[in-house]
Amino acid sequence: MKNGNDYSKHKRILAYIKFAILLFVLIGVPVILYLKFGADVFSKDAADTLIAYLRANRRFAFILIILIQMIQVIICILPGQPIQFASSYMFGVIPALCLSLIGAVIGTIITFYLSKLLGRDMVNLIFDKDKVDDYHRKLNSGKGLALTGLIYLIPGVPKDLVSYVAGISEMKFRPFILVSSIARIPGMLGSLLLGSFVESGNYVAIGILVLVIVIFFVVFYIKRKAIFKYMDSLEEIDETK
């Protein structure tokens, strides 16, 4: 009986620890960012605020980009594009891509294992339960890697949820990190190029890039039903394996 009580007590303590971690991630970190940078860090003006801060701390700017990008992946309410926009201002496209990707990969690793630690019940507190269930079913379908690649690649599809759900799914860590990292690159590169062109005043390049993005969105919108149908088809478990 005593062993049963001890087990129940340890289980409750573990639940409290998980809840404390969850509160820190959802509330503590955003409050710290707000106190440090003000409300602009959560707004469309975040890029200007970040650029000014990076310029004031040039010696550590590359580390800050990695850390801020990492935090953005973990804390879903932070906008991602201003970070790439600001980093391209400071470092140029290729170095900024490397720094942003490093931060995003570290953030994805943390969310993957954080969700394993917290468990499915805690993940349901962060995100809508129906969405968690839907993504969990898809990632466990046997075609989870293909679906992961599409989610990270296609604009407008929610991505923040994926790494959390992947942590509580049956997906293997290494393949997930590889696929999600590669699929992030086109979207990051677009934001970085836009920031670089704005910084240099290359309005012709800006126009071309915007045109390419618009064409991509138009094609995606036209083909959206076929794309989502294909994504749904990936849920079906291959019975031949």
Side-chain angles (χ1 to χ4, degrees), residues 1-11:
M1 189 69 178
K2 186 176 180 181
N3 289 337
N5 290 335
D6 289 343
Y7 175 78
S8 180
K9 183 179 179 181
H10 291 156
K11 192 174 181 179

Side-chain angles (χ1 to χ4, degrees), residues 189-191 193-195 197 204-214:
L189 189 58
S191 297
L193 285 171
L194 185 59
F197 294 153
V204 174
I206 292 173
I208 294 172
L209 179 60
V210 170
L211 180 61
V212 170
I213 293 173
V214 169

Side-chain angles (χ1 to χ4, degrees), residues 15 20 27 37 50 87 101 106 114 131 179 184 193 201 204 231:
I27 300 175
F37 300 106
L50 184 55
S87 60
L101 193 58
I106 294 173
L114 181 62
K131 289 185 178 179
V179 170
R184 282 183 189 275
L193 285 171
V204 174
M231 291 174 68

Side-chain angles (χ1 to χ4, degrees), residues 81 84 93 97 101 149 152-155 159 179-194 209 212-213 216:
Q81 284 73 23
Q84 287 107 49
V93 174
L97 177 62
L101 193 58
Y152 278 96
L153 189 62
I154 295 174
K159 301 171 176 59
V179 170
S180 62
S181 300
I182 293 173
R184 282 183 189 275
I185 293 175
M188 277 189 172
L189 189 58
S191 297
L192 291 166
L193 285 171
L194 185 59
L209 179 60
V212 170
I213 293 173
F216 186 86

Side-chain angles (χ1 to χ4, degrees), residues 100-193:
S100 297
L101 193 58
I102 290 170
V105 170
I106 294 173
T108 303
I109 292 171
I110 291 173
T111 56
F112 185 92
Y113 283 108
L114 181 62
S115 68
K116 279 191 177 299
L117 172 65
L118 295 178
R120 188 165 179 170
D121 289 340
M122 292 296 176
V123 173
N124 285 336
L125 292 178
I126 305 175
F127 301 100
D128 180 75
K129 183 180 183 300
D130 291 338
K131 289 185 178 179
V132 172
D133 292 342
D134 182 47
Y135 273 59
H136 189 265
R137 185 177 64 253
K138 284 179 166 63
L139 296 185
N140 283 339
S141 66
K143 302 291 181 64
L145 286 177
L147 184 65
T148 297
L150 281 173
I151 290 172
Y152 278 96
L153 189 62
I154 295 174
V157 177
K159 301 171 176 59
D160 299 321
L161 175 60
V162 182
S163 55
Y164 279 96
V165 178
I168 57 173
S169 73
E170 298 172 3
M171 291 188 69
K172 301 297 184 183
F173 169 72
R174 290 184 181 178
F176 169 74
I177 288 296
L178 178 62
V179 170
S180 62
S181 300
I182 293 173
R184 282 183 189 275
I185 293 175
M188 277 189 172
L189 189 58
S191 297
L192 291 166
L193 285 171

